[in-house]
Amino acid sequence: MTDNQETPDAAATEEEDATPQSRSATLPLRPPCERLSCHKSSVCSRSYFVVVMVFFHVYIINVIALLFYVHYSSGQEDASRSRDDAPSSGHQRAESRRQPSTPEFLREVSLTRIEGIRVGHVQKVSLVPGKVHEMRTLSLKPLLFEIPGFLSEDECRVVMQLAQLKGLMESQLMVQDGQEELAKELNLSPEEIFNLLDINQDGQLQLHEILTHSRVRDGIWLTPENLREIYAGLQADKDGDGLLSLEEFRLLSNDAFQRFLLQRGVKRSQLVRNSRHTWLYQGKGAHQVLQDIKARVTRLTRLPPSLVDLSEPLQVVRYEEGGHYHAHHDSGPVYPETACTHTRLAANTSTPFETSCRYITVLFYLNSVDGGGETAFPVADNRTYDEVSLIQDEVDLLDTRRNCGKSNLRVKPTKGNAVFWYNYLSDGRGWVGEQDEYALHGGCVVTHGTKWVANKWINIDPDYQRQARYQQLVSQQPEDEDDDDDLTLNTDVESPSIHQDL
C-alpha cells in the first residue's frame, strides 16, 4: 500500500517539477483536469466557429442573390406597368398602334467625316487598285478637297458621250410657274411677306433683300440696275430712294415682278443659271464606267454603300460660251416644317416645303476649259458669314458673271480632276448637322470654249429616324429573289422629277 501510494505522489511531484520548466512560457500552471477540460472546450469552440462562418457566408450569398432578383424583377414590372398603365386617351392609343409602322431606330450608323487638317494639307487615298491618289485640302470652311486625276481621259470621254446619247435639257426654264399657288396655300398677308423679306428688320426693304427673294422665287438674276428699272416701271418706289416701305410694298401684287419681266423679255444671261444637263443612272445594268465612278465615290467619302446607292444619279452639265451658274447652296437648311426631297415618302406629315438634302457634293471636271468656267467659293474660309454683306456697294459676290474674281477661292477646271465638299456640318454625334453656309459656290461665266462637268450628290436626311425609315421602306420593296445583295438601294427606278436642281 505504501508503495502504491508513494508512486502517484512521486509521479505527480515529477510532473509538477517538469511542467513549470517546460511550459511556463506558454500556459499558466493549472490542474490537469482543468487543462483537459479547457482543451476540449477549445476544440468545440473552433468547430462551432467554422460552422457559424459557413452558415454566415451562405446567408450573405442568398441575400445578394435575393437583391439581384428583386432588382431585375422590379425593373421588368415597372417597364410592363408603364406600358399597361399609360394614359388611355384616343391620341395615345393611336400612337401606340402606329409604333409598328414607324419604329424608332437606334443610332447604329456613324458617318465618317474626313479631316482637312489645314489648307494645303495633302493625304494619300487609295481609290482604284494599283494606284494612289493625292487629296489636297482647299479650305476648311467649307471642308473642301481636290483630287487630281480622279477620272481617266477615257472615263471623261465615255461620260460625255453617254450624256449626249441620252440628250441634254435646259437646266432652267425662262419663267417658272406655281408661285401664286404656293402663296395662296401658305395664306401669307403682305405684312407677313414683308417681315420675311426684311432680313435686318429695319422696316424697309433694301435692294439686296428684294434681289435675294426674286432670285429664289422667279429664277431670274436681277442686278440692282434691273431692280431700279422695275421699280420705275411699276411706280413702286414713290420717293425714289431705292427702299420700299410697307405701304409701298402693299402696292405690289405677288406676281408683279414676273409680269413685268415677261412684258420686257428675259435673256438667258439673266437667268440664275445658263446650262443644259441630263441624268445618268448608276445602278444595276448601267455602263461599267458609271458603276465604277459610284464605287470610287463610295471609297472616297468612306460612307456606307447603301447611302450612296440611295442617292441621286450622276448629273452631267454642259456650259456653252457665256454659260454660268450664280452662287448658291446645293442644299437648304432643314427645319421641322421642311422635308427632304429624297425621304419625303418616309415623312410622318405632309409639308409644303421640300429641299434637296445633299450632304456631300462631288464635282468632276470632264474637260479643261479654254477660258473662265472656274468653280468659285465667294466666302470660303471667311471669318464670319453674313448674308446681308454679300451685296455691298453695288458689288454682288453672288454674281458669277461680274464678280467671280472677288471670290475667296476659285478652282480651275482641269480634265479628270474632282473636288468634293460637305454641305452640312456634323452634329457632333456622327450624323448630319446644320447647313454649312460657307459652302456657297457657283460657276463662273465661260468666256472661251465649252465646259463639261458631272455632279454626284450623296443625299442624307439630317433627321436620322426619317432616313432610317426610308431605307427600311426601300428594302421592303419587291425585288428579284436571286438578287439578295442589292436590296434596290438605288434610285434608278425613280422619276428624275424628285431631283431638285438648286
Side-chain angles (χ1 to χ4, degrees):
M1 291 295 297
T2 304
D3 294 338
N4 294 340
Q5 291 176 353
E6 289 179 358
T7 300
D9 294 337
T13 303
E14 290 176 358
E15 185 176 352
E16 291 172 359
D17 293 339
T19 299
Q21 296 175 358
S22 61
R23 300 182 183 177
S24 60
T26 58
L27 293 174
L29 183 62
R30 290 179 181 176
C33 60
E34 292 184 8
R35 289 199 303 271
L36 183 58
S37 171
C38 181
H39 178 71
K40 288 181 180 181
S41 176
S42 176
V43 172
C44 294
S45 299
R46 219 167 15 243
S47 301
Y48 178 78
F49 175 79
V50 171
V51 172
V52 169
M53 289 304 296
V54 169
F55 277 102
F56 178 78
H57 281 80
V58 171
Y59 173 79
I60 291 299
I61 293 173
N62 288 336
V63 170
I64 294 174
L66 181 60
L67 290 175
F68 274 106
Y69 174 80
V70 171
H71 172 73
Y72 286 106
S73 296
S74 62
Q76 293 174 353
E77 289 175 1
D78 291 341
S80 61
R81 188 180 302 112
S82 63
R83 291 192 297 266
D84 296 337
D85 296 343
S88 56
S89 65
H91 173 72
Q92 288 167 333
R93 285 199 301 270
E95 287 293 330
S96 64
R97 286 196 298 269
R98 284 198 297 267
Q99 283 180 357
S101 60
T102 57
E104 292 297 315
F105 297 90
L106 297 176
R107 291 283 291 268
E108 297 177 350
V109 178
S110 180
L111 303 178
T112 301
R113 192 176 179 92
I114 300 174
E115 294 293 334
I117 311 300
R118 65 182 180 279
V119 175
H121 176 74
V122 177
Q123 49 189 306
K124 307 289 185 179
V125 290
S126 179
L127 304 176
V128 294
K131 184 177 181 180
V132 176
H133 288 81
E134 290 187 347
M135 182 170 64
R136 180 170 175 263
T137 303
L138 297 185
S139 79
L140 299 178
K141 297 190 305 183
L143 193 51
L144 170 66
F145 305 90
E146 181 181 31
I147 307 96
F150 187 93
L151 300 179
S152 67
E153 288 194 14
D154 286 341
E155 289 173 328
C156 292
R157 174 180 52 80
V158 168
V159 172
M160 288 189 291
Q161 289 176 341
L162 290 173
Q164 290 174 315
L165 181 63
K166 185 173 181 182
L168 290 86
M169 67 187 77
E170 294 291 342
S171 296
Q172 181 182 325
L173 300 176
M174 295 296 285
V175 177
Q176 298 181 0
D177 298 324
Q179 305 296 335
E180 285 282 343
E181 288 74 10
L182 181 58
K184 291 178 181 178
E185 181 180 352
L186 296 176
N187 194 26
L188 297 177
S189 66
E191 291 80 3
E192 290 173 322
I193 297 176
F194 185 90
N195 288 327
L196 287 174
L197 299 178
D198 189 11
I199 300 175
N200 58 10
Q201 295 294 301
D202 64 350
Q204 292 180 317
L205 296 183
Q206 281 79 18
L207 289 174
H208 68 269
E209 292 173 329
I210 292 290
L211 288 175
T212 302
H213 167 68
S214 65
R215 292 164 182 175
V216 173
R217 184 174 181 269
D218 300 320
I220 300 173
W221 193 266
L222 299 177
T223 63
E225 295 84 0
N226 298 147
L227 194 55
R228 291 191 184 95
E229 293 176 10
I230 296 175
Y231 281 178
L234 297 175
Q235 298 181 349
D237 185 14
K238 300 295 184 181
D239 52 11
D241 62 354
L243 304 175
L244 290 185
S245 64
L246 177 58
E247 289 70 23
E248 293 171 330
F249 183 76
R250 290 178 190 272
L251 302 177
L252 297 176
S253 61
N254 288 333
D255 60 347
F257 281 76
Q258 197 172 44
R259 286 190 289 102
F260 181 85
L261 291 170
L262 282 174
Q263 295 172 0
R264 205 185 97 173
V266 178
K267 300 178 182 179
R268 294 202 59 82
S269 60
Q270 290 181 292
L271 298 177
V272 171
R273 59 187 154 178
N274 179 11
S275 62
R276 298 175 64 86
H277 78 277
T278 191
W279 300 92
L280 297 179
Y281 299 105
Q282 299 177 277
K284 185 177 180 181
H287 195 285
Q288 189 59 47
V289 168
L290 300 179
Q291 296 190 55
D292 290 344
I293 293 175
K294 184 177 72 171
R296 206 172 304 162
V297 168
T298 304
R299 288 192 290 270
L300 170 68
T301 58
R302 306 172 191 174
L303 295 176
S306 60
L307 291 176
V308 181
D309 291 338
L310 281 169
S311 297
E312 295 170 70
L314 186 71
Q315 186 196 48
V316 182
V317 188
R318 184 182 69 196
Y319 297 87
E320 302 292 345
E321 189 168 312
H324 67 278
Y325 196 170
H326 290 303
H328 61 283
H329 289 97
D330 280 350
S331 292
V334 179
Y335 302 109
E337 62 274 11
T338 305
C340 293
T341 301
H342 76 287
T343 59
R344 69 186 187 281
L345 296 177
N348 289 329
T349 57
S350 61
T351 172
F353 301 106
E354 288 185 4
T355 187
S356 294
C357 299
R358 292 162 170 166
Y359 178 59
I360 289 179
T361 297
V362 185
L363 173 65
F364 314 99
Y365 297 110
L366 302 178
N367 74 324
S368 298
V369 183
D370 296 334
E374 301 93 342
T375 304
F377 294 83
V379 294
D381 284 327
N382 252 20
R383 287 189 177 182
T384 59
Y385 176 86
D386 184 6
E387 184 179 3
V388 177
S389 65
L390 293 174
I391 306 176
Q392 291 289 337
D393 301 325
E394 303 298 314
V395 175
D396 186 356
L397 293 179
L398 302 175
D399 192 333
T400 57
R401 293 183 62 87
R402 295 183 175 186
N403 302 313
C404 241
K406 295 181 172 62
S407 295
N408 287 356
L409 174 65
R410 288 177 294 163
V411 183
K412 184 178 180 180
T414 303
K415 180 189 289 187
N417 286 11
V419 291
F420 87 94
W421 62 89
Y422 295 88
N423 294 303
Y424 291 92
L425 303 172
S426 172
D427 69 346
R429 298 178 297 164
W431 198 249
V432 183
E434 297 180 353
Q435 180 194 33
D436 190 346
E437 295 176 322
Y438 293 89
L440 184 74
H441 67 284
C444 301
V445 62
V446 177
T447 57
H448 298 288
T450 304
K451 172 185 174 183
W452 284 87
V453 297
N455 296 296
K456 180 61 180 177
W457 287 294
I458 299 179
N459 304 97
I460 304 178
D461 197 322
D463 186 331
Y464 181 89
Q465 297 296 325
R466 198 159 55 194
Q467 179 72 33
R469 285 196 300 270
Y470 172 66
Q471 292 187 233
Q472 185 184 57
L473 288 173
V474 173
S475 66
Q476 292 174 349
Q477 292 179 355
E479 53 193 340
D480 296 336
E481 294 182 359
D482 296 335
D483 193 8
D484 294 332
D485 295 331
D486 186 14
L487 297 177
T488 52
L489 294 181
N490 78 71
T491 55
D492 296 5
V493 297
E494 298 182 7
S495 168
S497 62
I498 72 167
H499 306 303
Q500 302 294 324
D501 299 334
L502 299 181

